Amino acid sequence: MSTSPFTKQQLLPQEEKLEIARHKSELFIGIPKETSYQERRICLTPDAVNSLTYQGHRVMIEAGAGESSSYSDKEYAHAGAEITKDTKKVFGCPMLLKVEPPSLAEIEMINPKTIIISAIQLKTRKKTYFEALAKKKITAFALEYIKDEDGSYPAVKSLSEIAGTASVLIAAELMITNEFGKGLLFGNITGVPPTDVVILGAGTVGEFAAKTAIGLGANVKVFDNSIRKLRRLQNNLNQRIFTSTIQPKSLLKALRRCDVAIGAMRGKERCPVIVTETMVEHMKKGAVIVDVSIDTGGCFETSEVTSHEKPTFIKNDVLHYCVPNIPSRYSKTASLSISNIITPYLLQIAEDGGIESAIRCNHGLKNGVYLYHGILTNNAISEWFDLPYSDINLIVF
């Protein structure tokens, strides 16, 4: 009689029992061509598509969707995407990626229960947009609302970095000799007084505008009412520059002397108007205003929305550039930027086994949801359009 504590059955070789892992899901992503006015970006670069198809996901792209970001259909095809001329077929995919939100006509083509990831641009939406999506029980994510681990908004930040850097480069172009430009070189040449730049707002746009202007050798003055933001800006620039709170007297003095003024203020609904028409009248003849805040109304009283085709106008002898959506002018850089933000989330969604589990596991992603199976889950949208709202934490936990 053996003294083994195990029965004969237990001593026989057993089949190995593995822990059941979360089942990976396979994504089928559609990328339609952007139809929105002036929209030249695309959500995924060929490299990003390659990393998705390599892991067994399907990506269907409408022919010509990447051309305005200088990515050819051939590059996407090599990366493993399926290219089609059939717009309906692309909108029929279970998951859609767009830069601009879909139009009502496009929502018609979308199947019920589709997942959409796009920007939302609240200020340009109408109530009917949300009602149309809700009717089809769609789950929608807004790029602007997706949060990072540190609580910041990566998509907003990246595009603000582009807009800030670009605002200075645009001003430099506008200062050259043309019908109205003063024929000045933006920067600091030995023996010549440096260009004077005034930046309103010390957020990401203001910071990158300041970095670029300082890099070119300009004299920079930044105005903002938040001392915390001004302090952060100085720390990020690694140097002390002229910073001030917004007081009419000191602002007017700076504007009278400057060659370039950049508006980079943000407000909750509409950005505040900081510079009045009278202040603009006091500016130098031929000075340049680049109002990056025009997306939310503009912070110069004299600003009026212009387009990439006809970007400038002259008012009170000052050249104004007020094009909304500046990053679209640098479509390839902007596309790379958006693609780098979205791709890890897509791989994460697949890894987690689909959108439901991904929202449960990732709070930053959950924050991006504004419609969940047709239920509005974003408080800001609910207040703005007076629509009923449900807390997503009570639906998904």
Side-chain angles (χ1 to χ4, degrees):
M1 175 80 181
S2 80
T3 52
S4 163
F6 298 105
T7 64
K8 198 169 177 194
Q9 190 63 39
Q10 283 170 318
L11 287 168
L12 289 171
Q14 302 282 317
E15 57 186 311
E16 186 182 14
K17 290 198 172 97
L18 288 172
E19 181 190 353
I20 297 171
R22 269 186 301 207
H23 177 64
K24 269 190 168 184
S25 80
E26 280 177 14
L27 305 178
F28 184 10
I29 299 166
I31 301 183
K33 194 173 176 176
E34 295 291 339
T35 51
S36 229
Y37 179 57
Q38 291 196 349
E39 188 47 77
R40 307 192 173 100
R41 298 168 294 180
I42 187 167
C43 281
L44 294 180
T45 61
D47 285 348
V49 170
N50 190 33
S51 66
L52 286 161
T53 53
Y54 181 73
Q55 303 214 11
H57 306 299
R58 282 178 71 187
V59 181
M60 185 180 278
I61 295 184
E62 189 176 343
E67 270 166 16
S68 49
S69 302
S70 29
Y71 292 120
S72 66
D73 289 347
K74 198 171 166 192
E75 287 175 81
Y76 281 110
H78 281 314
E82 301 159 43
I83 311 288
T84 175
K85 285 198 166 73
D86 187 344
T87 312
K88 263 205 166 87
K89 205 168 161 190
V90 180
F91 276 103
C93 294
M95 188 176 206
L96 289 174
L97 289 187
K98 272 180 100 325
V99 180
E100 295 273 327
S103 66
L104 290 175
E106 288 169 337
I107 295 173
E108 281 296 298
M109 294 188 262
I110 298 173
N111 290 328
K113 301 201 168 161
T114 297
I115 295 157
I116 298 177
I117 302 177
S118 77
I120 185 176
Q121 301 166 344
L122 199 48
K123 310 285 179 294
T124 59
R125 293 301 96 211
K126 290 191 174 66
K127 201 171 179 172
T128 44
Y129 167 78
F130 298 100
E131 291 167 343
L133 289 178
K135 209 163 113 192
K136 292 209 164 179
K137 304 238 180 305
I138 280 168
T139 298
F141 291 79
L143 287 173
E144 300 100 308
Y145 295 152
I146 294 176
K147 272 188 178 174
D148 243 342
E149 300 86 54
D150 63 353
S152 65
Y153 298 96
V156 178
K157 231 182 181 143
S158 291
L159 295 172
S160 298
E161 290 177 3
I162 294 173
T165 305
S167 65
V168 171
L169 303 178
I170 288 165
E173 280 172 45
L174 298 175
M175 285 164 63
I176 58 173
T177 308
N178 47 27
E179 302 89 80
F180 193 72
K182 295 202 299 187
L184 285 175
L185 176 66
F186 193 112
N188 190 345
I189 304 303
T190 312
V192 179
T195 312
D196 263 319
V197 180
V198 168
I199 298 170
L200 306 172
T204 308
V205 177
E207 180 191 325
F208 275 74
K211 271 187 177 147
T212 312
I214 290 166
L216 290 169
N219 221 342
V220 175
K221 294 182 176 173
V222 181
F223 290 82
D224 194 303
N225 271 337
S226 157
I227 297 291
R228 182 186 60 81
K229 280 188 180 173
L230 292 171
R231 185 176 293 122
R232 195 200 65 192
L233 174 87
Q234 288 199 328
N235 290 338
N236 288 353
L237 291 175
N238 266 334
Q239 65 183 32
R240 295 271 162 239
I241 57 165
F242 177 98
T243 53
S244 166
T245 51
I246 299 166
Q247 292 148 354
K249 206 171 170 190
S250 56
L251 180 58
L252 182 62
K253 189 178 166 191
L255 286 170
R256 287 177 104 141
R257 293 183 174 175
C258 79
D259 303 293
V260 174
I262 292 169
M265 297 295 294
R266 282 187 56 192
K268 200 163 161 48
E269 308 293 358
R270 202 216 115 103
C271 95
V273 173
I274 303 291
V275 179
T276 60
E277 179 142 13
T278 324
M279 287 178 165
V280 176
E281 283 167 10
H282 282 292
M283 287 174 74
K284 287 184 196 170
K285 182 180 189 300
V288 172
I289 286 176
V290 179
D291 200 343
V292 187
S293 307
I294 196 73
D295 283 322
T296 55
C299 59
F300 291 82
E301 199 183 347
T302 47
S303 291
E304 290 161 25
V305 178
T306 58
S307 68
H308 284 294
E309 285 70 48
K310 195 175 178 306
T312 58
F313 63 90
I314 294 162
K315 210 173 198 178
N316 302 326
D317 283 338
V318 175
L319 190 63
H320 291 64
Y321 179 99
C322 307
V323 179
N325 195 357
I326 288 175
S328 190
R329 187 175 197 247
Y330 304 92
S331 53
K332 193 164 196 168
T333 302
S335 298
L336 274 160
S337 190
I338 295 170
S339 181
N340 289 340
I341 291 160
I342 294 183
T343 312
Y345 282 114
L346 294 174
L347 295 169
Q348 189 64 49
I349 289 167
E351 191 67 41
D352 289 339
I355 207 87
E356 308 291 332
S357 341
I359 297 173
R360 281 192 184 88
C361 306
N362 187 320
H363 288 294
L365 199 59
K366 188 194 269 185
N367 199 66
V369 180
Y370 63 92
L371 272 176
Y372 181 76
H373 293 292
I375 303 164
L376 184 69
T377 57
N378 182 290
N379 203 5
I381 297 173
S382 139
E383 284 175 6
W384 184 269
F385 292 104
D386 192 28
L387 288 159
Y389 146 85
S390 314
D391 186 344
I392 189 154
N393 295 310
L394 301 176
I395 310 172
V396 180
F397 39 79

